[in-house]
Amino acid sequence: MKNRDITLHINGEEYRLNVAVNRTLLDVLRDELGMTETKYGCGTGECGACTVVVEGKAINSCLTLAATMDGKRIATVAGRADFGRLDHIQQAFVDEAAIQCGYCTPGMVMKTASLLATNPDPSEAEIRHALEGNICRCTGYEKIVKAVKKAAQTMPGRVAAVEPCKEVVQ
């Protein structure tokens, strides 16, 4: 099997690797770098447990060849925490009890991060559309949708909506 030298920028750290051209990004993350927070679910891109964000876009790492990621900026769910403190998305999932077994949670969090980066105030329909392809067998989706809404509302730098004044003072 042919190998290729690549450089990955994962969660702000640079990794220089020599990978087989047929290895998936998921395999490299888990097996070569020990980043087990990215989950193996189905291996066919149907469940979303392996979701990571590459250059701002959520992708299924089980369907992506690591060799094609040379030079790319990749974020996993572990990169969202700051010195062990949960970020606003992770905290919203906890606050809304949107996790049970937790297996789908990393993928859901990363899909949420990708959504909120491009749409900081999504409607419920937009949230549900963005989460398509991520399967949760435990919670159903109501609490997950609520968690995404809360994450949008608590996003750092967000200015709270203010009701317009109904009376004009002269």
Side-chain angles (χ1 to χ4, degrees):
M1 186 58 51
K2 189 173 181 171
N3 282 14
R4 182 172 174 197
D5 291 326
I6 62 171
T7 301
L8 303 176
H9 304 276
I10 305 169
N11 300 331
E13 299 289 326
E14 182 176 284
Y15 297 88
R16 294 179 187 273
L17 304 160
N18 183 270
V19 298
V21 295
N22 68 338
R23 297 282 317 262
T24 66
L25 179 57
L26 177 63
D27 291 339
V28 170
L29 290 172
R30 291 181 62 80
D31 300 340
E32 293 187 33
L33 298 175
M35 296 180 177
T36 56
E37 69 272 12
T38 303
K39 304 300 181 197
Y40 176 88
C42 65
T44 60
E46 297 293 323
C47 74
C50 68
T51 302
V52 297
V53 175
V54 176
E55 304 287 333
K57 183 179 179 196
I59 65 157
N60 291 322
S61 62
C62 72
L63 296 179
T64 305
L65 294 176
T68 66
M69 295 288 101
D70 186 30
K72 303 282 186 190
R73 300 205 178 284
I74 301 165
T76 70
V77 73
R80 300 212 53 83
D82 185 23
F83 297 103
R85 236 181 108 185
L86 301 179
D87 81 336
H88 72 287
I89 297 172
Q90 294 165 318
Q91 190 62 55
F93 272 70
V94 171
D95 293 348
E96 295 300 325
I99 45 181
Q100 283 186 14
C101 82
Y103 205 81
C104 72
T105 306
M108 293 286 188
V109 167
M110 297 312 290
K111 273 276 184 91
T112 300
S114 180
L115 168 66
L116 297 181
T118 58
N119 182 355
D121 193 22
S123 67
E124 182 171 330
E126 290 168 325
I127 292 169
R128 290 181 181 280
H129 179 72
L131 295 177
E132 285 177 0
N134 282 63
I135 297 172
C136 176
R137 292 183 174 97
C138 299
T139 65
Y141 296 91
E142 295 306 315
K143 291 181 179 184
I144 293 169
V145 170
K146 284 182 182 178
V148 176
K149 286 179 184 177
K150 181 169 188 165
Q153 293 166 351
T154 60
M155 197 160 44
R158 180 182 170 100
V159 177
V162 178
E163 288 292 319
C165 183
K166 295 186 180 180
E167 291 183 32
V168 176
V169 178
Q170 296 191 10

